[in-house]
Amino acid sequence: MAGPKTPPYYSPTYKKNGANYPSSPHSIRINVYTLAIAFTVLCSIAYLIGRGSISTSPVSNVATSVPCIPLKITSATTAVSKNSSSGTQVDEEGEGAVSDDVKVYPSCDFKFSEYTPCEDPQRSLKFKRDRLIYRERHCPDKTQLLKCRVPAPYGYKKPFKWPKSRDLAWYANVPHKELTVEKAVQNWIRKEGDKFRFPGGGTMFPNGADAYVDDIDKLINLKDGSIRTAIDTGCGVASWGAYLLSRDILAMSFAPRDTHEAQVQFALERGVPALIGVLASKRLPYPSRAFDMAHCSRCLIPWDLYDGAYLMEVDRVLRPGGYWILSGPPIRWRKYFKGWERTRDDLNGEQTRIEEVAKKLCWKKFVEKDDIAIWQKPYNHFQCKEQKKKLMCPAQDYDKAWYTELETCITPLPEVSSDEDVAGGQLEKWPKRLNAIPPRISSGTVKGVTAGSFEKDSQLWQKRVSYYKSVDDKLNQPGRYRNLLDMNANLGGFAANWVDDPVWVMNIVPAEAEVNTLGVIYERGLIGTYQSWCEAMSTYPRTYDLLHADSIFTMYKERCDMEDILLEMDRILRPEGSIIIREDVDILVEVKRIVDGLNWESLIVDHEDGPMEREKLLFAVKTYWTAPANTTTSPRI
């Protein structure tokens, strides 16, 4: 099938009919010879520009942004359908034409279509069930890594655009009915034909999540910008976080991969931030003083057990003055104890023990009304003299949270000179805090980062994101992308330039980064997590629309294989999702060879400062393909 004429801009997902997904089962094959001729001409133009013979801006004219390096253009093709009668599927195994010297990565078996390597239910059975340790991250070793591409289910469709996606998802994308039965009376989720509907119900909010958030708003102010980041423990399908988004509050929702199938997968399919996770024996993968608000609605976490270790962990990640909200057992036990099938003494004892732990933490009971109880963390530890003597954790890096053991002690807040001071520094209200100098930087606690370098970084990323949008016009289309992932976020500059778009960005600070900047990202009112890219991410396949990788392969060059990182990127990226990779040109050529074997459409373009810069950018799109039509049974991996 002949390809379309090249548009006036580079757009990896450009289709002749303007659709984001193919309207027929045939995908587009690039005209190799046309590209080869164009490549030669553009190399000549780039050479002349480098000599100063032509004064053309690389942003305004994409011709100047194509690098003059040897590329295997012939392998950057997509497949032709093997089943043209289906009307929905493109090449069931995603096989495209590649050159002989490129390693081709085959499709994995369909049983891996929802594979989460570090939360594999079979591997988890080898670990202790005590304190849910078996549900924590347990990753495969290097010999167990899959060297294949995880398939999408047959019939997979482009997700609904936000905000429609908050309420609807395609059944084919997450083919699980278990929650529609198990949570039917709680109105979490309903199946309607070929779609799921999320009515916004929950165990403790029978009138819907929106009304429940309104009830919280009557108790603490959610409108004045003082609350921007939240964490939802045991989130279900993340309806609480979904309805906070309309109030400009970003919630990091998490739940374990457990008997309630695909909770986190549903959340991400809806376009809501979420991760697979559990409070067990390790710290949550977030820095100290990160969240303005924490929430548990019948999340079934035993807050009163293990000497209060789990509440102490919530205290670690909660910002000074932040709120902890609890609804469900044991709150309002006098009304619900029969329905919860527990005795009055049992529930009363649990609430008493929770109150005692809260007092140890110097929290004050802010309010308890109807089904909701709220505690507030102190703004400092100035008055916590008894706790300072007995319960404070020893000096350490309290932001360290990648495979770090939980401790039964209180994370001390930064010292203050009076009981009116906010430990760690006062934050601006949202949205001013996005661009204000974060307190961690102004206090000099982030190595090598000053107020001046922060402002320069902000200007740099404003320029870079603008350049990205000039190269790929799809980035300018509201609703084209929803879930974004920055694999090496540094100070959060990439994410900061998307706040006016209908997207959210998961900011990753690699565990191997020289400087831990995740606390800065949260102080800006953004969200993120720690991650080592030598391991898989705690998310389901196909949960992100766009991946941004700045110097990732340079960082991991001596640590793990490039192909394994790219295979993980392929796993977590949606069909026809986009990728932007920034690297030195020599590394990027190696990346391009593997990308060709993954059957991504890709093109290397010049740096935003022109062709003389060694750093180049690779823009790519994961091609649309699914498992064969006869694989209709839900996978169990």
Side-chain angles (χ1 to χ4, degrees), residues 289 315 381 392-395 398 410-415:
R289 313 194 316 273
D315 180 76
H381 282 158
M392 293 295 177
C393 298
Y398 305 113
I410 301 172
T411 302
L413 291 171
E415 292 291 334

Side-chain angles (χ1 to χ4, degrees), residues 315-514:
D315 180 76
R316 183 186 71 85
V317 300
L318 199 59
R319 195 175 308 289
Y323 299 97
W324 183 56
I325 302 169
L326 177 63
S327 65
I331 303 304
R332 214 180 185 189
W333 56 266
R334 290 176 179 84
K335 176 180 178 181
Y336 294 116
F337 76 96
K338 290 183 180 178
W340 292 337
E341 298 181 347
R342 293 174 61 182
T343 67
R344 289 170 173 264
D345 289 344
D346 180 24
L347 288 161
N348 183 40
E350 181 182 349
Q351 180 156 356
T352 299
R353 290 188 295 273
I354 289 174
E355 301 274 9
E356 289 172 352
V357 176
K359 287 179 181 178
K360 287 182 181 179
L361 294 168
C362 284
W363 292 4
K364 70 176 182 180
K365 186 70 167 290
F366 190 79
V367 66
E368 182 172 340
K369 184 177 180 182
D370 297 329
D371 298 343
I372 299 172
I374 302 177
W375 286 260
Q376 187 175 24
K377 179 176 176 175
Y379 287 98
N380 56 62
H381 282 158
F382 196 79
Q383 299 292 337
C384 298
K385 293 182 172 58
E386 184 178 340
Q387 286 84 343
K388 285 182 179 179
K389 292 179 182 178
K390 298 179 181 179
L391 298 173
M392 293 295 177
C393 298
Q396 58 181 283
D397 182 356
Y398 305 113
D399 287 353
K400 185 179 180 183
W402 185 246
Y403 293 118
T404 305
E405 295 292 328
L406 274 183
E407 296 181 83
T408 309
C409 57
I410 301 172
T411 302
L413 291 171
E415 292 291 334
V416 296
S417 57
S418 77
D419 61 1
E420 296 179 355
D421 294 337
V422 177
Q426 178 69 54
L427 287 174
E428 295 281 359
K429 292 184 177 181
W430 182 263
K432 285 187 178 180
R433 70 189 269 191
L434 178 67
N435 295 310
I437 305 300
R440 275 176 164 88
I441 293 177
S442 59
S443 64
T445 57
V446 182
K447 182 181 177 181
V449 183
T450 64
S453 62
F454 172 79
E455 290 176 344
K456 286 182 180 178
D457 184 80
S458 297
Q459 294 168 6
L460 173 66
W461 281 103
Q462 184 177 15
K463 175 182 178 181
R464 286 181 169 181
V465 173
S466 176
Y467 179 68
Y468 294 166
K469 291 182 177 182
S470 74
V471 174
D472 183 359
D473 190 62
K474 290 291 188 292
L475 299 175
N476 295 301
Q477 298 178 7
R480 175 63 178 84
Y481 303 99
R482 175 62 184 170
N483 305 354
L484 276 59
L485 177 69
D486 191 358
M487 298 174 68
N488 185 16
N490 192 23
L491 301 177
F494 173 80
N497 283 278
W498 290 93
V499 294
D500 293 328
D501 293 79
V503 305
W504 60 269
V505 181
M506 182 72 78
N507 292 281
I508 301 295
V509 171
E512 297 83 357
E514 291 184 8

